[in-house]
Amino acid sequence: MAKAWTPTSWQAFPVNQQPEWPDQGELDRALKQIASYPPLVFAGEARSLQASLAQVCAGNAFLLQAGDCAESFEEFSANNIREKLRVILQMSVVLTYSLGVPVVKVGRIAGQFAKPRSSNMEKVGDIELPSFRGHIVNSDAFTESARTPTPDRLVQAYNQSAATLNLLRAFTKGGFADLSRVHAWTQEFVASSPEGQRYEQIASEIDRALKFMRACGVDTESNHSLHETNVYTSHEALLLGYEEALTRQDSLTGAWYDCSAHMLWIGERTRQLDSAHIEFLRGVGNPLGCKVGPTTDAEYVLELCEKLNPARIPGRLTLISRMGADKVEDALRPLLRAVRDSGHPIVWACDPMHGNTVTSAGGRKTRVFDRICAEIDGFVRAHKAEGTWPGGIHVELTGDDVTECTGGADNILDSQLDDRYQTVCDPRLNGRQSLDLAFTVAESLRSTGLA
Ligand code: PEP
Ligand code: CO
């Protein structure tokens, strides 16, 4: 029987990947300030997302979770948020149209700041400094003062999340996401490309379908679902002090919610069964994700399901598989089988990014577009073989024309990575590659007969 949960009960458990804040007093002050601020999201919204994820769980919807590896304090502007939203809306149109099911849209946005690192220190030449842990902790510049964890950054991350969420709500409810604007979501650099043109065809079909509905007497004007949409927020719940400070009791149900985002996930490096991260997240009512890498076995997954979703609520738990293209089929099948046979309701999503990171000849961290697609294919084949629903994808992308992942339709080469390599952490798909990926996902599901 699990011990009683409180928002602070995680503090008695082993905790990984927390920064070494130099001044405990400053940290306490920053967290106290955040605890006194309003919640960023509301419990009812988290419950709506969970209900939508329950539809994914039942095979009646598809999850698109996407955004930055790490949001940046420097790249913070309306443009930046709008471009990311555009590409998410475009991918969602492609997926909805091709799969024939609703797409649940969740951004890695409005709070995706904190990064786990494989090493506490980074060495360049003779100099060794603390690793960059995301702008919520320190700066990516390689100087001692930049790398020193600064608690004020926690407050800045809260403020940036609030402003980002405000704009997202305005865009998604205020006309930008109106289906009649489906053509206007294409960025200039995408429009002329083959995938841009493929998208245009779908957009034109949607126009025709809307006209057809109106001609048949359907009142498309007053139908909200054609004019606005929901884009939920999510991030890795890594800094437990920050998450605790935003954890509030819902006045309607009395349940606790982590109001820093609608959905929170546990990363590959902090998912140990006895960890503080699992302890913290088991007690909040939000829908949860947990990454599962290639070393995961079936016994672990079943225990994880019992810990995070003992009541077996559909939509509560999403397992995000990040195996690597070569391993995914063999590594995932036993997990799918075990979960299926246990009767646990799980959303299975494919993160085709984190198991396929390589270093380019020039020393850049990159990902090859074809390997990303290959992981998705393997993920879909594994589900086909086990009779389960490949519920969604979890990807790192930006709307901008960056050169961070190689390959894709415009065949970015290793030698071009330096041109526009802008990420503060992992390499992201650019706008064209993202759209291309949506078509790949649709084809993968269709060719296996799953859509
Ligand atoms: C991430 O999603 O950015 C990440 C660090 O992933 P993982 O925990 O799967 O390595
Ligand atoms: Co990443």
Side-chain angles (χ1 to χ4, degrees), residues 69 108 115-116 236 265 267-269 291 322 354 396:
C69 178
R108 290 176 58 117
K115 297 314 297 174
E236 177 173 352
W265 79 84
E268 174 70 0
R269 292 166 191 77
K291 296 286 193 88
R322 34 89 84 219
H354 289 90
E396 291 180 342

Side-chain angles (χ1 to χ4, degrees), residues 284-332:
V284 296
N286 309 60
L288 303 178
C290 186
K291 296 286 193 88
V292 286
T295 58
T296 316
D297 63 30
E299 195 187 340
Y300 167 87
V301 167
L302 294 182
E303 278 192 58
L304 185 74
C305 293
E306 280 301 323
K307 285 216 168 205
L308 294 177
N309 192 16
R312 301 191 173 208
I313 301 164
R316 158 77 170 165
L317 184 57
T318 298
L319 293 179
I320 307 160
S321 138
R322 34 89 84 219
M323 303 291 183
D326 295 332
K327 298 184 186 142
V328 60
E329 215 174 332
D330 291 343
L332 189 58

Side-chain angles (χ1 to χ4, degrees), residues 28 35 74 78 80 113 123-124 140 174 188 192 201 204 216 245 275 292 296 298 312 327 335 348 351 383 408 429 450:
D28 292 345
E74 277 111 50
N80 191 288
F113 290 104
K123 201 166 178 187
V124 176
D140 45 309
E188 248 166 56
S192 58
Q201 275 174 13
S204 299
C216 293
S275 72
V292 286
T296 316
R312 301 191 173 208
K327 298 184 186 142
L335 310 186
W348 285 101
D351 166 356
H383 281 279
L429 298 168
L450 287 167

